[in-house]
Amino acid sequence: MDDLHPQEPHDHRLPRADRSPTAADLTPATAHLAPAVRERLATERIAWLCTLRPDGSPHVTPVWFVFVRGTWWIGADGGSVKARNAAHDPRVSLALEGGEAPVVAEGRARIWRAPAETGSPTGSASVFPPDVVAAFLAKYDWDVTLPHRPASGRVLFEVPVGRWLLAGTAQ
């Protein structure tokens, strides 16, 4: 484990964004979820990310995300408030929009950081997991590796689900 690669590489099979999740997409983190929840995780475009500021107050922001290998992935500018917050305290919550069938999860963000000098026209593709980069491209037609502000580089949040608070059923 190092600053650029927080864990060993995963199986980098290319996700299939053009179809609904199948049994092959199930992981221990998603096997218990209703098919409708898995479908929403694959297709919805906006999630709400809550990080904690250093004073403990919440910071909530809409984000683009992909859900790959039973894990939430969020791309961000390396100098963003959410990146600074997660570096200080990795506890986060994520929620899909729509209160009629809430999907809310908690986890601890692992930050994949591309150095600012890597944040160049060629992006951070060699630093970030290829299947996650491909999933962002398929879902949003967006290269998650390219920086918005070159001086700050790119980060990728990897958020394995610690627990599901609500998984498609209001309680």
Side-chain angles (χ1 to χ4, degrees):
M1 187 180 302
D2 61 30
D3 289 342
L4 296 178
H5 304 90
Q7 64 184 36
E8 289 299 310
H10 295 284
D11 176 11
H12 295 299
R13 291 172 292 161
L14 184 65
R16 296 275 319 274
D18 61 335
R19 59 146 170 85
S20 298
T22 66
D25 299 314
L26 297 180
T27 69
T30 62
H32 73 285
L33 297 176
V37 172
R38 291 193 304 269
E39 176 71 19
R40 289 181 64 199
L41 289 167
T43 61
E44 288 199 20
R45 296 179 58 82
I46 303 293
W48 289 86
L49 171 68
C50 182
T51 58
L52 298 172
R53 293 182 174 102
D55 69 3
S57 62
H59 174 258
V60 179
T61 185
V63 294
W64 282 358
F65 75 99
V66 294
F67 194 75
V68 176
R69 291 182 264 104
T71 299
W72 299 76
W73 297 85
I74 298 106
D77 183 84
S80 66
V81 172
K82 61 184 154 276
R84 291 192 312 267
N85 288 346
H88 180 263
D89 185 337
R91 295 175 298 164
V92 301
S93 293
L94 288 143
L96 295 181
E97 295 185 308
E100 67 283 348
V103 175
V104 181
E106 290 181 342
R108 291 185 172 270
R110 297 179 196 138
I111 305 298
W112 293 65
R113 188 169 300 277
E117 60 273 8
T118 301
S120 67
T122 59
S124 307
S126 64
V127 175
F128 297 153
D131 60 335
V132 174
V133 172
F136 274 104
L137 193 58
K139 188 172 187 179
Y140 300 101
D141 193 27
W142 176 51
D143 185 347
V144 70
T145 69
L146 295 178
H148 295 286
R149 296 180 300 158
S152 61
R154 294 296 295 160
V155 297
L156 192 61
F157 288 54
E158 175 186 13
V159 185
V161 177
R163 70 178 176 152
W164 293 98
L165 301 178
L166 299 169
T169 305
Q171 299 177 357

